[in-house]
Amino acid sequence: FDMSEGGNATFAGNILRSGSGDTTITNHSTGSGDPSFILNSAVENRSGFLHFKDRDSQAGYIKYIHNGDSMNFHTGNSGASDLTLKGGKVGIGIAAPSVQLEISGSADQQIRIDSTSNRAQLQFDGTKTSDAEFAEINFANAGDSVAAIHAMREGANDAARLAFFTQVAGGAVAEKMTITSAGNVG
């Protein structure tokens, strides 16, 4: 079947490959647009897979889960999702992220920001027009918040103090130290 003259091929049913092995779809487009493939199911409410193979071994796959409205990206044959996109949330190592970006795993976890020729920066940009907390770093042990560092507006929109919070056994997280906008420590 040769479509070298251009145009579209429309099939009323599935495209099936007889014999053993995988069906391979290759896009040889020389046009200026990016190649795209549409995987369409005639049955509603179905999940689907798009598998990627490197010769004889599976290099990864993408899974769309209809009832959860999520896309899961997997590397290798791992059953666990490496990356999940669900309802505007991103999960790394977790299938159902509960916040905009959630990273989960059983080993030590890191977030790393590298710059090869300039500074690396992590910025918290909140908004308060009265004296209150506008940014926070929270420390939790097994889900229990036990310490924090708050950036607090202090007297003007362009002035802030840092407040350090800790928790004693059986107590509550409470402010223990402050660095004011003038640099005083209390």
Side-chain angles (χ1 to χ4, degrees):
F1 186 64
D2 184 0
M3 292 292 295
S4 60
E5 296 299 318
N8 296 320
T10 303
F11 300 91
N14 294 329
I15 299 174
L16 303 174
R17 179 186 186 277
S18 61
S20 62
D22 294 322
T23 301
T24 302
I25 300 173
T26 305
N27 185 309
H28 295 285
S29 173
T30 58
S32 61
D34 292 332
S36 64
F37 303 98
I38 298 174
L39 305 176
N40 197 3
S41 173
V43 180
E44 289 190 38
N45 303 326
R46 294 292 291 268
S47 297
F49 292 88
L50 181 58
H51 290 261
F52 300 92
K53 296 212 172 218
D54 180 13
R55 201 158 170 99
D56 294 326
S57 63
Q58 181 168 295
Y61 62 95
I62 299 172
K63 179 180 182 182
Y64 170 73
I65 303 173
H66 174 77
N67 59 357
D69 289 328
S70 68
M71 298 279 300
N72 296 335
F73 297 82
H74 301 259
T75 56
N77 290 314
S78 163
S81 175
D82 296 312
L83 176 69
T84 299
L85 305 175
K86 180 180 174 87
K89 298 173 183 170
V90 177
I92 299 173
I94 187 167
S98 59
V99 294
Q100 275 67 30
L101 174 60
E102 187 169 354
I103 300 170
S104 181
S106 59
D108 290 346
Q109 301 300 307
Q110 288 184 8
I111 297 175
R112 184 173 178 163
I113 302 171
D114 285 332
S115 174
T116 59
S117 63
N118 212 330
R119 69 183 177 130
Q121 181 180 21
L122 178 62
Q123 184 178 46
F124 299 91
D125 188 2
T127 303
K128 288 291 181 184
T129 55
S130 61
D131 289 357
E133 168 197 346
F134 64 87
E136 175 181 349
I137 299 173
N138 189 296
F139 303 92
N141 184 13
D144 180 21
S145 180
V146 295
I149 302 170
H150 294 193
M152 314 279 283
R153 182 185 182 275
E154 187 179 61
N157 286 341
D158 62 350
R161 69 182 179 95
L162 288 178
F164 295 82
F165 294 74
T166 60
Q167 173 179 307
V168 297
V173 176
E175 185 173 344
K176 304 293 178 25
M177 185 178 83
T178 296
I179 303 174
T180 69
S181 60
N184 297 328
V185 178

